[in-house]
Amino acid sequence: MLLEVNNLTVCYDKAMILNGISLKVDTGELVSLVGPNGAGKSTVLRAITGLVAWEKRMKRGTTGGEVTIEGDVLFEGKPISQTPAHEIVRLGLVHCPERRRPFREMSVQDNLMAGAYLFGGKGQVQDDLDKVFQLFPVLKKRLGQVSGTLSGGEQQMLAVGRALMSRPKLLCIDEPSTGLAPLMRQEVFNKIVEIRRTGVTILLVEQEVASVFSLTDRNYVLSSGRIIAQGKGDDLLQDEVIRKTYLGL
Ligand SMILES: Nc1ncnc2c1ncn2[C@@H]1O[C@H](COP(=O)(O)OP(=O)(O)OP(=O)(O)O)[C@@H](O)[C@H]1O
Ligand SMILES: [Mg+2]
């Protein structure tokens, strides 16, 4: 098992945001985590990739209060709950955060290089860049452009490209389609399928349930900090309660 999360619980002050989450992602899978706004999807990704533990150490919950995190996260069988976020990236567990945030003042090239900062060797970095350009030719054309002036879709591509420069074994992508027009959304989903074909395992957080379920191997439905259903898209879509209550269909 590439990723195993057991009984993950996160509290900000007294508010329990995640309440005993367990999930698994096997090597090569494309798995989604879906659910309504505020369900805790981003918190799951931030907890897995060491950012909640960082907030706890820095006492930097957005409320400035206490952060508690419990449960086990195993990556390639090794516990990483105590591993700092930058080390987790180095292990190959890479987070592409929500609301695409490339460093806006930096060029496309510098953003991509920021993703490669953990890996030395000019030749290697060039190889990785070439792979990203193959996937996103538009980034090559816009290498010198200031990232903040890219279109929304291009910024999303850049965010994913930057994450790929960190050589993910497991890429966690948070709502890549948000705010994009339907055509661009489809384009982003196509790219995700392509990335998966290159051998990268993917955990995808999304709200676009209908499109996402047609791409994934398995899915988890999160609601109020709990996994309330899991399985193949077709099966989940047949459950009337899940459709109406949690997927807004
Ligand atoms: N650092 C924090 N401090 C305090 N509360 C937080 C913090 N981060 C998240 N929360 C709260 O946790 C809950 C879940 O937030 P989260 O961002 O994980 O939801 P989400 O499922 O990703 O929602 P969305 O679909 O809107 O992105 C929300 O009520 C949010 O206000
Ligand atoms: Mg979110």
Side-chain angles (χ1 to χ4, degrees), residues 36-43 98-99 174-175 205 207:
N37 287 120
K41 304 179 296 296
S42 299
T43 305
E98 77 190 310
R99 284 188 277 283
D174 199 345
E175 298 210 27
V205 162
Q207 300 208 40

Side-chain angles (χ1 to χ4, degrees), residues 123-223:
Q124 270 182 9
V125 172
Q126 190 56 52
D127 278 359
D128 292 348
L129 270 178
D130 288 341
K131 280 184 201 150
V132 170
F133 294 150
Q134 222 172 357
L135 196 62
F136 302 122
V138 65
L139 295 182
K140 189 167 188 181
K141 285 192 226 141
R142 297 182 175 273
L143 263 186
Q145 187 167 332
V146 173
S147 303
T149 63
L150 295 173
S151 76
E154 289 164 352
Q155 290 192 28
Q156 186 60 61
M157 308 277 183
L158 177 56
V160 174
R162 185 178 64 186
L164 288 174
M165 291 301 288
S166 303
R167 303 197 157 188
K169 290 176 186 162
L170 173 60
L171 180 58
C172 300
I173 315 182
D174 199 345
E175 298 210 27
S177 79
T178 303
L180 301 182
L183 265 182
M184 187 47 83
R185 243 185 244 164
Q186 196 48 53
E187 175 84 2
V188 166
F189 288 138
N190 292 344
K191 297 296 180 185
I192 288 171
V193 170
E194 251 185 85
I195 293 168
R196 183 267 188 88
R197 263 196 226 115
T198 67
V200 179
T201 307
I202 298 178
L203 177 57
L204 176 62
V205 162
E206 262 297 339
Q207 300 208 40
E208 274 293 305
V209 173
S211 333
V212 166
F213 280 3
S214 65
L215 313 176
T216 52
D217 299 309
R218 291 187 301 117
N219 314 276
Y220 291 94
V221 182
L222 189 65
S223 175

